[in-house]
Structure formats: structure tokens, C-alpha cells
């Protein structure tokens, strides 16, 4: 069993309404930047970016009347620290459409050091050759270690490196918020989202669930 410091909520920086407003604004910005939804593909980074990508697809459909393809990207084996992980958490990449000559919008929940996005770029280029790649994130918390910048940002959230900024989604976590967490000094088992639970949550957001 993997143990980690137990985390508690220090502050809720975005509630469900704020998250919804931010995603609607980002959807409008994506459409404006790309002159509509033609040749547009959303690819969300597992484990929460894919849920945001699904939500953005819903927003774009309500605005533009076009259903944009949505894929899910697992970057477990593209990370530059994978060699140091004894049991890397592996989920599923599901991008069942060609990326060549398309505009791919990578979607993630929290932009921090930039290393996750670097890994995601490598993964996307192994799948095809997009015309261009853009980045949409719900939260930018700063502290970049690589020269990565988001094209679309929901909210800038200043935080210290010791804090944990996390996005929670109703379909998976029972609430939709962005919270700043801090350690309370106690050890607890690390939470691991199962591939099945993640896939079911993704389908629920898209409206494809059997429930």
C-alpha cells in the first residue's frame, strides 16, 4: 500500500458555478481563435482533463451546434519521471479518429510545472501530425519549470509549491470545485482512480452513459 500525507481543504477557489462560467468562456475563446469548430479536436489528459474536455465539447455544441470529437490521453509512460516510479498509474488512451491536419486542443485541469504538457505533446505527436496544437487549462497555478504557456485559461490561482491545487468533478468525486489542499501531517492511503470509474465518469459528462 502506498502512503502519502493526508490532505485537507485549505480554500475553495472555484465552486461549480465558477467552473461552469470559466468553461463557457473558454469554449467561446476556442471558437473565436479558430474561426469556428471546423477541423477542431479536443484531447483531454487523464485523469481530470478528459472530463473537462468532455464538458467543453458540450459547451461548444450548445454555442456552435457542432459536436466536436473528444479523445482521452494517458501520458503515464511519456513522463520524464516514469523510470523512478515502481508502479506507474496507467489508464487508457482513446483517440479513435485521425489527428493529421487538425487543430488539437489539449485540455488539462491544472497547469503547474509544464512537465505533464510536455509529455502530452510527445504522446500526441506519436498519434498523428496535427496542423497545430493549443492548450486549454481550467487553472494556471504558476511555478513553471518548462517554457509552456496555455492559450486558454479559466483562472490563475497563485499558490505555494507546498500546496496542492486540485480539480474535483461531480461525476467522479461527488462535487465540482477547485480547491487548494494542504497536508495535515497524517499518513493515509493514496487515492487511485480506477480506469473503469474514470471511463464511466467521462461517458456521464458526454451524456453517453447507460445510466
Amino acid at each position: 500500500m502506498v502512503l502519502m500525507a493526508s490532505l485537507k481543504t485549505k480554500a475553495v477557489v472555484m465552486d461549480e458555478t465558477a467552473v461552469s462560467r470559466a468553461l463557457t468562456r473558454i469554449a467561446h475563446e476556442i471558437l473565436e481563435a479558430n474561426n469556428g469548430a471546423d477541423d477542431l479536436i479536443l484531447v483531454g489528459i487523464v485523469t481530470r482533463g478528459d472530463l473537462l474536455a468532455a464538458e467543453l465539447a458540450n459547451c461548444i455544441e450548445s454555442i456552435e451546434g457542432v459536436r466536436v470529437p473528444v479523445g482521452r490521453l494517458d501520458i503515464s509512460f511519456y513522463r520524464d519521471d516514469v523510470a523512478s516510479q515502481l508502479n506507474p498509474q496507467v489508464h487508457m488512451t482513446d483517440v479513435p479518429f485521425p489527428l493529421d491536419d487538425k487543430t488539437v486542443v489539449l485540455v488539462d485541469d491544472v497547469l503547474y510545472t509544464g512537465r505533464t504538457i510536455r509529455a502530452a505533446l510527445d504522446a500526441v505527436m506519436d498519434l498523428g501530425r496535427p496542423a497545430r496544437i493549443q492548450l486549454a487549462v481550467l487553472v494556471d497555478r504558476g511555478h513553471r519549470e518548462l517554457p509552456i504557456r496555455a492559450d486558454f485559461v479559466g483562472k490563475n490561482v497563485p499558490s505555494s509549491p507546498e500546496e496542492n491545487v486540485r480539480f474535483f468533478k461531480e461525476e467522479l468525486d461527488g462535487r465540482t470545485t477547485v480547491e487548494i489542499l494542504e497536508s495535515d501531517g497524517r499518513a493515509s492511503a493514496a487515492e487511485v482512480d480506477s480506469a473503469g470509474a474514470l471511463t464511466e465518469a467521462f461517458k456521464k459528462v458526454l451524456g453517453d452513459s447507460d445510466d
Side-chain angles (χ1 to χ4, degrees):
M1 178 183 296
V2 177
L3 296 180
M4 61 180 292
S6 180
L7 301 175
K8 62 179 181 179
T9 299
K10 179 179 180 181
V12 176
V13 295
M14 297 180 77
D15 60 14
E16 185 172 5
T17 298
V19 170
S20 179
R21 287 174 177 165
L23 290 176
T24 299
R25 174 172 51 79
I26 290 173
H28 279 284
E29 291 174 354
I30 289 173
L31 290 169
E32 182 177 358
N34 293 288
N35 297 312
D38 292 343
D39 295 323
L40 191 66
I41 289 175
L42 302 178
V43 176
I45 301 172
V46 179
T47 63
R48 296 296 187 280
D50 56 336
L51 304 183
L52 287 170
E55 199 71 76
L56 278 173
N58 294 338
C59 291
I60 288 173
E61 184 175 20
S62 68
I63 296 166
E64 197 77 357
V66 175
R67 190 62 176 176
V68 176
V70 186
R72 305 173 67 212
L73 190 67
D74 175 29
I75 62 163
S76 300
F77 291 108
Y78 287 87
R79 295 180 59 89
D80 56 14
D81 60 354
V82 67
S84 65
Q85 299 184 36
L86 295 178
N87 295 294
Q89 188 176 341
V90 180
H91 296 289
M92 176 185 293
T93 288
D94 183 17
V95 184
F97 35 74
L99 302 183
D100 295 345
D101 302 318
K102 304 294 185 180
T103 295
V104 172
V105 180
L106 274 176
V107 183
D108 204 8
D109 52 352
V110 179
L111 178 57
Y112 184 30
T113 64
R115 295 185 180 277
T116 293
I117 305 306
R118 184 210 61 77
L121 291 171
D122 288 345
V124 166
M125 297 308 292
D126 276 352
L127 295 173
R129 290 296 181 270
R132 57 178 172 169
I133 301 175
Q134 299 170 341
L135 175 61
V137 299
L138 180 60
V139 171
D140 186 344
R141 59 173 296 193
H143 304 288
R144 212 77 76 244
E145 295 176 2
L146 299 176
I148 301 289
R149 181 182 64 83
D151 299 279
F152 314 103
V153 178
K155 184 180 182 66
N156 290 289
V157 177
S159 61
S160 74
E162 291 74 27
E163 293 172 326
N164 187 312
V165 179
R166 189 174 298 178
F167 169 61
F168 297 92
K169 190 74 173 75
E170 172 69 30
E171 290 78 3
L172 191 61
D173 307 301
R175 66 189 186 279
T176 297
T177 58
V178 175
E179 303 176 12
I180 296 179
L181 308 178
E182 63 179 358
S183 171
D184 63 7
R186 296 177 298 176
S188 64
E191 296 181 7
V192 177
D193 299 311
S194 72
L198 287 167
T199 298
E200 185 58 31
F202 178 74
K203 290 180 177 179
K204 284 182 179 179
V205 177
L206 276 180
D208 294 339
S209 175
D210 295 331
D211 293 345

PDB file of all heavy atoms in Angstrom, residues 69-101:
ATOM      1  N   PRO A  69     -15.195  16.184 -31.891  1.00  0.00           N
ATOM      2  CA  PRO A  69     -14.650  14.919 -31.390  1.00  0.00           C
ATOM      3  C   PRO A  69     -13.835  15.137 -30.114  1.00  0.00           C
ATOM      4  O   PRO A  69     -13.116  16.133 -29.985  1.00  0.00           O
ATOM      5  CB  PRO A  69     -13.750  14.431 -32.533  1.00  0.00           C
ATOM      6  CG  PRO A  69     -14.248  15.135 -33.747  1.00  0.00           C
ATOM      7  CD  PRO A  69     -14.741  16.463 -33.272  1.00  0.00           C
ATOM      8  N   VAL A  70     -13.945  14.195 -29.178  1.00  0.00           N
ATOM      9  CA  VAL A  70     -13.227  14.284 -27.910  1.00  0.00           C
ATOM     10  C   VAL A  70     -12.455  13.000 -27.677  1.00  0.00           C
ATOM     11  O   VAL A  70     -13.011  11.903 -27.748  1.00  0.00           O
ATOM     12  CB  VAL A  70     -14.187  14.508 -26.717  1.00  0.00           C
ATOM     13  CG1 VAL A  70     -13.391  14.741 -25.431  1.00  0.00           C
ATOM     14  CG2 VAL A  70     -15.124  15.671 -26.988  1.00  0.00           C
ATOM     15  N   GLY A  71     -11.153  13.123 -27.390  1.00  0.00           N
ATOM     16  CA  GLY A  71     -10.327  11.965 -27.075  1.00  0.00           C
ATOM     17  C   GLY A  71      -9.768  12.053 -25.675  1.00  0.00           C
ATOM     18  O   GLY A  71      -9.805  13.109 -25.031  1.00  0.00           O
ATOM     19  N   ARG A  72      -9.254  10.907 -25.206  1.00  0.00           N
ATOM     20  CA  ARG A  72      -8.652  10.827 -23.868  1.00  0.00           C
ATOM     21  C   ARG A  72      -7.208  10.373 -24.014  1.00  0.00           C
ATOM     22  O   ARG A  72      -6.917   9.432 -24.745  1.00  0.00           O
ATOM     23  CB  ARG A  72      -9.423   9.838 -22.998  1.00  0.00           C
ATOM     24  CG  ARG A  72     -10.903  10.141 -22.894  1.00  0.00           C
ATOM     25  CD  ARG A  72     -11.634   9.033 -22.162  1.00  0.00           C
ATOM     26  NE  ARG A  72     -11.225   8.966 -20.762  1.00  0.00           N
ATOM     27  CZ  ARG A  72     -11.177   7.844 -20.056  1.00  0.00           C
ATOM     28  NH1 ARG A  72     -11.443   6.677 -20.619  1.00  0.00           N
ATOM     29  NH2 ARG A  72     -10.828   7.878 -18.785  1.00  0.00           N
ATOM     30  N   LEU A  73      -6.308  11.043 -23.303  1.00  0.00           N
ATOM     31  CA  LEU A  73      -4.880  10.791 -23.456  1.00  0.00           C
ATOM     32  C   LEU A  73      -4.246  10.410 -22.126  1.00  0.00           C
ATOM     33  O   LEU A  73      -4.283  11.182 -21.167  1.00  0.00           O
ATOM     34  CB  LEU A  73      -4.194  12.048 -24.010  1.00  0.00           C
ATOM     35  CG  LEU A  73      -2.743  11.926 -24.468  1.00  0.00           C
ATOM     36  CD1 LEU A  73      -2.647  11.031 -25.701  1.00  0.00           C
ATOM     37  CD2 LEU A  73      -2.176  13.316 -24.774  1.00  0.00           C
ATOM     38  N   ASP A  74      -3.662   9.208 -22.085  1.00  0.00           N
ATOM     39  CA  ASP A  74      -2.909   8.777 -20.909  1.00  0.00           C
ATOM     40  C   ASP A  74      -1.430   8.994 -21.191  1.00  0.00           C
ATOM     41  O   ASP A  74      -0.898   8.484 -22.183  1.00  0.00           O
ATOM     42  CB  ASP A  74      -3.177   7.299 -20.623  1.00  0.00           C
ATOM     43  CG  ASP A  74      -2.333   6.760 -19.473  1.00  0.00           C
ATOM     44  OD1 ASP A  74      -1.986   7.564 -18.583  1.00  0.00           O
ATOM     45  OD2 ASP A  74      -2.023   5.561 -19.471  1.00  0.00           O
ATOM     46  N   ILE A  75      -0.758   9.743 -20.331  1.00  0.00           N
ATOM     47  CA  ILE A  75       0.651  10.074 -20.570  1.00  0.00           C
ATOM     48  C   ILE A  75       1.591   9.343 -19.621  1.00  0.00           C
ATOM     49  O   ILE A  75       2.763   9.705 -19.493  1.00  0.00           O
ATOM     50  CB  ILE A  75       0.887  11.595 -20.430  1.00  0.00           C
ATOM     51  CG1 ILE A  75       0.564  12.060 -18.999  1.00  0.00           C
ATOM     52  CG2 ILE A  75       0.061  12.367 -21.444  1.00  0.00           C
ATOM     53  CD1 ILE A  75       1.130  13.404 -18.656  1.00  0.00           C
ATOM     54  N   SER A  76       1.109   8.280 -18.978  1.00  0.00           N
ATOM     55  CA  SER A  76       1.883   7.602 -17.929  1.00  0.00           C
ATOM     56  C   SER A  76       3.307   7.276 -18.351  1.00  0.00           C
ATOM     57  O   SER A  76       4.268   7.487 -17.594  1.00  0.00           O
ATOM     58  CB  SER A  76       1.169   6.311 -17.512  1.00  0.00           C
ATOM     59  OG  SER A  76      -0.117   6.577 -17.018  1.00  0.00           O
ATOM     60  N   PHE A  77       3.484   6.737 -19.557  1.00  0.00           N
ATOM     61  CA  PHE A  77       4.809   6.293 -19.992  1.00  0.00           C
ATOM     62  C   PHE A  77       5.548   7.336 -20.818  1.00  0.00           C
ATOM     63  O   PHE A  77       6.592   7.052 -21.394  1.00  0.00           O
ATOM     64  CB  PHE A  77       4.688   4.981 -20.755  1.00  0.00           C
ATOM     65  CG  PHE A  77       4.296   3.824 -19.867  1.00  0.00           C
ATOM     66  CD1 PHE A  77       3.024   3.279 -19.935  1.00  0.00           C
ATOM     67  CD2 PHE A  77       5.183   3.315 -18.927  1.00  0.00           C
ATOM     68  CE1 PHE A  77       2.654   2.224 -19.108  1.00  0.00           C
ATOM     69  CE2 PHE A  77       4.822   2.271 -18.090  1.00  0.00           C
ATOM     70  CZ  PHE A  77       3.553   1.720 -18.185  1.00  0.00           C
ATOM     71  N   TYR A  78       4.994   8.546 -20.878  1.00  0.00           N
ATOM     72  CA  TYR A  78       5.677   9.638 -21.558  1.00  0.00           C
ATOM     73  C   TYR A  78       6.302  10.615 -20.572  1.00  0.00           C
ATOM     74  O   TYR A  78       7.044  11.514 -20.970  1.00  0.00           O
ATOM     75  CB  TYR A  78       4.697  10.396 -22.463  1.00  0.00           C
ATOM     76  CG  TYR A  78       4.310   9.630 -23.698  1.00  0.00           C
ATOM     77  CD1 TYR A  78       3.254   8.732 -23.686  1.00  0.00           C
ATOM     78  CD2 TYR A  78       5.005   9.813 -24.898  1.00  0.00           C
ATOM     79  CE1 TYR A  78       2.890   8.030 -24.825  1.00  0.00           C
ATOM     80  CE2 TYR A  78       4.641   9.118 -26.040  1.00  0.00           C
ATOM     81  CZ  TYR A  78       3.590   8.229 -25.996  1.00  0.00           C
ATOM     82  OH  TYR A  78       3.243   7.530 -27.132  1.00  0.00           O
ATOM     83  N   ARG A  79       5.999  10.442 -19.292  1.00  0.00           N
ATOM     84  CA  ARG A  79       6.536  11.350 -18.287  1.00  0.00           C
ATOM     85  C   ARG A  79       8.046  11.174 -18.153  1.00  0.00           C
ATOM     86  O   ARG A  79       8.568  10.058 -18.263  1.00  0.00           O
ATOM     87  CB  ARG A  79       5.857  11.108 -16.934  1.00  0.00           C
ATOM     88  CG  ARG A  79       4.376  11.433 -16.913  1.00  0.00           C
ATOM     89  CD  ARG A  79       3.790  11.172 -15.535  1.00  0.00           C
ATOM     90  NE  ARG A  79       4.476  11.978 -14.535  1.00  0.00           N
ATOM     91  CZ  ARG A  79       4.106  13.208 -14.199  1.00  0.00           C
ATOM     92  NH1 ARG A  79       3.076  13.774 -14.774  1.00  0.00           N
ATOM     93  NH2 ARG A  79       4.762  13.877 -13.276  1.00  0.00           N
ATOM     94  N   ASP A  80       8.742  12.284 -17.860  1.00  0.00           N
ATOM     95  CA  ASP A  80      10.192  12.197 -17.736  1.00  0.00           C
ATOM     96  C   ASP A  80      10.634  11.584 -16.417  1.00  0.00           C
ATOM     97  O   ASP A  80      11.819  11.330 -16.203  1.00  0.00           O
ATOM     98  CB  ASP A  80      10.861  13.570 -17.933  1.00  0.00           C
ATOM     99  CG  ASP A  80      10.315  14.632 -16.980  1.00  0.00           C
ATOM    100  OD1 ASP A  80       9.617  14.262 -16.006  1.00  0.00           O
ATOM    101  OD2 ASP A  80      10.581  15.817 -17.210  1.00  0.00           O
ATOM    102  N   ASP A  81       9.647  11.302 -15.509  1.00  0.00           N
ATOM    103  CA  ASP A  81       9.996  10.660 -14.245  1.00  0.00           C
ATOM    104  C   ASP A  81       9.488   9.225 -14.179  1.00  0.00           C
ATOM    105  O   ASP A  81       9.466   8.622 -13.107  1.00  0.00           O
ATOM    106  CB  ASP A  81       9.439  11.461 -13.056  1.00  0.00           C
ATOM    107  CG  ASP A  81       7.916  11.579 -13.088  1.00  0.00           C
ATOM    108  OD1 ASP A  81       7.298  11.149 -14.092  1.00  0.00           O
ATOM    109  OD2 ASP A  81       7.353  12.107 -12.110  1.00  0.00           O
ATOM    110  N   VAL A  82       9.077   8.658 -15.314  1.00  0.00           N
ATOM    111  CA  VAL A  82       8.492   7.314 -15.288  1.00  0.00           C
ATOM    112  C   VAL A  82       9.485   6.268 -14.796  1.00  0.00           C
ATOM    113  O   VAL A  82       9.108   5.297 -14.142  1.00  0.00           O
ATOM    114  CB  VAL A  82       7.956   6.935 -16.690  1.00  0.00           C
ATOM    115  CG1 VAL A  82       9.082   6.788 -17.694  1.00  0.00           C
ATOM    116  CG2 VAL A  82       7.141   5.650 -16.615  1.00  0.00           C
ATOM    117  N   ALA A  83      10.771   6.455 -15.075  1.00  0.00           N
ATOM    118  CA  ALA A  83      11.778   5.470 -14.671  1.00  0.00           C
ATOM    119  C   ALA A  83      11.901   5.385 -13.154  1.00  0.00           C
ATOM    120  O   ALA A  83      12.313   4.353 -12.613  1.00  0.00           O
ATOM    121  CB  ALA A  83      13.132   5.817 -15.281  1.00  0.00           C
ATOM    122  N   SER A  84      11.514   6.448 -12.447  1.00  0.00           N
ATOM    123  CA  SER A  84      11.640   6.459 -10.982  1.00  0.00           C
ATOM    124  C   SER A  84      10.390   5.923 -10.299  1.00  0.00           C
ATOM    125  O   SER A  84      10.363   5.789  -9.082  1.00  0.00           O
ATOM    126  CB  SER A  84      11.912   7.886 -10.493  1.00  0.00           C
ATOM    127  OG  SER A  84      10.809   8.735 -10.769  1.00  0.00           O
ATOM    128  N   GLN A  85       9.351   5.597 -11.082  1.00  0.00           N
ATOM    129  CA  GLN A  85       8.105   5.105 -10.500  1.00  0.00           C
ATOM    130  C   GLN A  85       8.039   3.588 -10.606  1.00  0.00           C
ATOM    131  O   GLN A  85       8.087   3.031 -11.697  1.00  0.00           O
ATOM    132  CB  GLN A  85       6.902   5.725 -11.220  1.00  0.00           C
ATOM    133  CG  GLN A  85       6.849   7.243 -11.112  1.00  0.00           C
ATOM    134  CD  GLN A  85       5.603   7.813 -11.750  1.00  0.00           C
ATOM    135  OE1 GLN A  85       4.528   7.210 -11.690  1.00  0.00           O
ATOM    136  NE2 GLN A  85       5.731   8.972 -12.355  1.00  0.00           N
ATOM    137  N   LEU A  86       7.942   2.929  -9.440  1.00  0.00           N
ATOM    138  CA  LEU A  86       7.909   1.468  -9.430  1.00  0.00           C
ATOM    139  C   LEU A  86       6.629   0.929 -10.050  1.00  0.00           C
ATOM    140  O   LEU A  86       6.633  -0.070 -10.768  1.00  0.00           O
ATOM    141  CB  LEU A  86       8.043   0.966  -7.986  1.00  0.00           C
ATOM    142  CG  LEU A  86       9.371   1.273  -7.291  1.00  0.00           C
ATOM    143  CD1 LEU A  86       9.334   0.759  -5.857  1.00  0.00           C
ATOM    144  CD2 LEU A  86      10.535   0.652  -8.045  1.00  0.00           C
ATOM    145  N   ASN A  87       5.506   1.592  -9.777  1.00  0.00           N
ATOM    146  CA  ASN A  87       4.219   1.160 -10.301  1.00  0.00           C
ATOM    147  C   ASN A  87       3.479   2.363 -10.878  1.00  0.00           C
ATOM    148  O   ASN A  87       2.584   2.910 -10.241  1.00  0.00           O
ATOM    149  CB  ASN A  87       3.368   0.513  -9.200  1.00  0.00           C
ATOM    150  CG  ASN A  87       3.985  -0.766  -8.681  1.00  0.00           C
ATOM    151  OD1 ASN A  87       4.097  -1.743  -9.397  1.00  0.00           O
ATOM    152  ND2 ASN A  87       4.390  -0.743  -7.418  1.00  0.00           N
ATOM    153  N   PRO A  88       3.863   2.805 -12.093  1.00  0.00           N
ATOM    154  CA  PRO A  88       3.191   3.966 -12.669  1.00  0.00           C
ATOM    155  C   PRO A  88       1.703   3.699 -12.874  1.00  0.00           C
ATOM    156  O   PRO A  88       1.298   2.598 -13.241  1.00  0.00           O
ATOM    157  CB  PRO A  88       3.905   4.146 -14.019  1.00  0.00           C
ATOM    158  CG  PRO A  88       4.528   2.820 -14.309  1.00  0.00           C
ATOM    159  CD  PRO A  88       4.881   2.244 -12.978  1.00  0.00           C
ATOM    160  N   GLN A  89       0.890   4.706 -12.589  1.00  0.00           N
ATOM    161  CA  GLN A  89      -0.555   4.569 -12.712  1.00  0.00           C
ATOM    162  C   GLN A  89      -0.932   4.655 -14.184  1.00  0.00           C
ATOM    163  O   GLN A  89      -0.765   5.683 -14.837  1.00  0.00           O
ATOM    164  CB  GLN A  89      -1.241   5.676 -11.918  1.00  0.00           C
ATOM    165  CG  GLN A  89      -2.752   5.528 -11.824  1.00  0.00           C
ATOM    166  CD  GLN A  89      -3.353   6.594 -10.940  1.00  0.00           C
ATOM    167  OE1 GLN A  89      -2.662   7.221 -10.138  1.00  0.00           O
ATOM    168  NE2 GLN A  89      -4.647   6.837 -11.083  1.00  0.00           N
ATOM    169  N   VAL A  90      -1.447   3.576 -14.740  1.00  0.00           N
ATOM    170  CA  VAL A  90      -1.750   3.506 -16.167  1.00  0.00           C
ATOM    171  C   VAL A  90      -3.257   3.481 -16.370  1.00  0.00           C
ATOM    172  O   VAL A  90      -3.971   2.730 -15.708  1.00  0.00           O
ATOM    173  CB  VAL A  90      -1.112   2.252 -16.809  1.00  0.00           C
ATOM    174  CG1 VAL A  90      -1.431   2.200 -18.291  1.00  0.00           C
ATOM    175  CG2 VAL A  90       0.389   2.253 -16.581  1.00  0.00           C
ATOM    176  N   HIS A  91      -3.730   4.296 -17.285  1.00  0.00           N
ATOM    177  CA  HIS A  91      -5.147   4.323 -17.609  1.00  0.00           C
ATOM    178  C   HIS A  91      -5.318   3.958 -19.084  1.00  0.00           C
ATOM    179  O   HIS A  91      -4.784   2.959 -19.538  1.00  0.00           O
ATOM    180  CB  HIS A  91      -5.743   5.687 -17.263  1.00  0.00           C
ATOM    181  CG  HIS A  91      -5.704   5.980 -15.801  1.00  0.00           C
ATOM    182  ND1 HIS A  91      -6.502   5.326 -14.889  1.00  0.00           N
ATOM    183  CD2 HIS A  91      -4.945   6.832 -15.074  1.00  0.00           C
ATOM    184  CE1 HIS A  91      -6.250   5.764 -13.668  1.00  0.00           C
ATOM    185  NE2 HIS A  91      -5.302   6.685 -13.753  1.00  0.00           N
ATOM    186  N   MET A  92      -6.003   4.755 -19.844  1.00  0.00           N
ATOM    187  CA  MET A  92      -6.261   4.397 -21.228  1.00  0.00           C
ATOM    188  C   MET A  92      -6.202   5.619 -22.126  1.00  0.00           C
ATOM    189  O   MET A  92      -6.738   6.670 -21.786  1.00  0.00           O
ATOM    190  CB  MET A  92      -7.637   3.740 -21.356  1.00  0.00           C
ATOM    191  CG  MET A  92      -8.041   3.415 -22.797  1.00  0.00           C
ATOM    192  SD  MET A  92      -9.730   2.787 -22.933  1.00  0.00           S
ATOM    193  CE  MET A  92      -9.544   1.222 -22.076  1.00  0.00           C
ATOM    194  N   THR A  93      -5.544   5.460 -23.268  1.00  0.00           N
ATOM    195  CA  THR A  93      -5.620   6.464 -24.315  1.00  0.00           C
ATOM    196  C   THR A  93      -6.695   6.028 -25.298  1.00  0.00           C
ATOM    197  O   THR A  93      -6.703   4.895 -25.764  1.00  0.00           O
ATOM    198  CB  THR A  93      -4.269   6.610 -25.041  1.00  0.00           C
ATOM    199  OG1 THR A  93      -3.332   7.268 -24.174  1.00  0.00           O
ATOM    200  CG2 THR A  93      -4.414   7.442 -26.311  1.00  0.00           C
ATOM    201  N   ASP A  94      -7.620   6.922 -25.581  1.00  0.00           N
ATOM    202  CA  ASP A  94      -8.699   6.626 -26.515  1.00  0.00           C
ATOM    203  C   ASP A  94      -8.884   7.832 -27.425  1.00  0.00           C
ATOM    204  O   ASP A  94      -9.588   8.784 -27.090  1.00  0.00           O
ATOM    205  CB  ASP A  94      -9.993   6.309 -25.750  1.00  0.00           C
ATOM    206  CG  ASP A  94     -11.134   5.915 -26.688  1.00  0.00           C
ATOM    207  OD1 ASP A  94     -10.848   5.568 -27.858  1.00  0.00           O
ATOM    208  OD2 ASP A  94     -12.294   5.965 -26.253  1.00  0.00           O
ATOM    209  N   VAL A  95      -8.212   7.789 -28.564  1.00  0.00           N
ATOM    210  CA  VAL A  95      -8.330   8.847 -29.575  1.00  0.00           C
ATOM    211  C   VAL A  95      -8.693   8.148 -30.885  1.00  0.00           C
ATOM    212  O   VAL A  95      -7.833   7.888 -31.721  1.00  0.00           O
ATOM    213  CB  VAL A  95      -7.021   9.652 -29.720  1.00  0.00           C
ATOM    214  CG1 VAL A  95      -7.201  10.797 -30.707  1.00  0.00           C
ATOM    215  CG2 VAL A  95      -6.575  10.206 -28.366  1.00  0.00           C
ATOM    216  N   PRO A  96      -9.977   7.813 -31.066  1.00  0.00           N
ATOM    217  CA  PRO A  96     -10.409   6.975 -32.186  1.00  0.00           C
ATOM    218  C   PRO A  96     -10.685   7.734 -33.479  1.00  0.00           C
ATOM    219  O   PRO A  96     -11.640   7.441 -34.200  1.00  0.00           O
ATOM    220  CB  PRO A  96     -11.692   6.344 -31.640  1.00  0.00           C
ATOM    221  CG  PRO A  96     -12.264   7.407 -30.777  1.00  0.00           C
ATOM    222  CD  PRO A  96     -11.074   8.105 -30.137  1.00  0.00           C
ATOM    223  N   PHE A  97      -9.844   8.723 -33.772  1.00  0.00           N
ATOM    224  CA  PHE A  97     -10.015   9.496 -35.000  1.00  0.00           C
ATOM    225  C   PHE A  97      -8.645  10.077 -35.374  1.00  0.00           C
ATOM    226  O   PHE A  97      -7.776  10.260 -34.517  1.00  0.00           O
ATOM    227  CB  PHE A  97     -11.044  10.622 -34.815  1.00  0.00           C
ATOM    228  CG  PHE A  97     -11.029  11.237 -33.434  1.00  0.00           C
ATOM    229  CD1 PHE A  97     -10.006  12.093 -33.043  1.00  0.00           C
ATOM    230  CD2 PHE A  97     -12.018  10.934 -32.522  1.00  0.00           C
ATOM    231  CE1 PHE A  97      -9.987  12.641 -31.778  1.00  0.00           C
ATOM    232  CE2 PHE A  97     -12.016  11.479 -31.246  1.00  0.00           C
ATOM    233  CZ  PHE A  97     -10.998  12.330 -30.881  1.00  0.00           C
ATOM    234  N   PRO A  98      -8.422  10.360 -36.661  1.00  0.00           N
ATOM    235  CA  PRO A  98      -7.118  10.882 -37.085  1.00  0.00           C
ATOM    236  C   PRO A  98      -6.890  12.307 -36.611  1.00  0.00           C
ATOM    237  O   PRO A  98      -7.820  13.115 -36.549  1.00  0.00           O
ATOM    238  CB  PRO A  98      -7.191  10.800 -38.616  1.00  0.00           C
ATOM    239  CG  PRO A  98      -8.644  10.844 -38.929  1.00  0.00           C
ATOM    240  CD  PRO A  98      -9.334  10.138 -37.795  1.00  0.00           C
ATOM    241  N   LEU A  99      -5.643  12.601 -36.277  1.00  0.00           N
ATOM    242  CA  LEU A  99      -5.268  13.944 -35.833  1.00  0.00           C
ATOM    243  C   LEU A  99      -4.583  14.747 -36.935  1.00  0.00           C
ATOM    244  O   LEU A  99      -4.421  15.968 -36.795  1.00  0.00           O
ATOM    245  CB  LEU A  99      -4.321  13.855 -34.629  1.00  0.00           C
ATOM    246  CG  LEU A  99      -4.835  13.118 -33.392  1.00  0.00           C
ATOM    247  CD1 LEU A  99      -3.790  13.190 -32.281  1.00  0.00           C
ATOM    248  CD2 LEU A  99      -6.163  13.671 -32.915  1.00  0.00           C
ATOM    249  N   ASP A 100      -4.196  14.080 -38.004  1.00  0.00           N
ATOM    250  CA  ASP A 100      -3.454  14.747 -39.078  1.00  0.00           C
ATOM    251  C   ASP A 100      -4.229  15.950 -39.626  1.00  0.00           C
ATOM    252  O   ASP A 100      -5.424  15.858 -39.946  1.00  0.00           O
ATOM    253  CB  ASP A 100      -3.181  13.778 -40.225  1.00  0.00           C
ATOM    254  CG  ASP A 100      -2.246  12.640 -39.811  1.00  0.00           C
ATOM    255  OD1 ASP A 100      -1.608  12.757 -38.748  1.00  0.00           O
ATOM    256  OD2 ASP A 100      -2.166  11.652 -40.552  1.00  0.00           O
ATOM    257  N   ASP A 101      -3.498  17.078 -39.690  1.00  0.00           N
ATOM    258  CA  ASP A 101      -4.018  18.317 -40.277  1.00  0.00           C
ATOM    259  C   ASP A 101      -5.197  18.915 -39.504  1.00  0.00           C
ATOM    260  O   ASP A 101      -5.909  19.774 -40.028  1.00  0.00           O
ATOM    261  CB  ASP A 101      -4.428  18.096 -41.746  1.00  0.00           C
ATOM    262  CG  ASP A 101      -3.268  17.587 -42.598  1.00  0.00           C
ATOM    263  OD1 ASP A 101      -2.149  18.095 -42.426  1.00  0.00           O
ATOM    264  OD2 ASP A 101      -3.492  16.672 -43.414  1.00  0.00           O
TER     265      ASP A 101
END
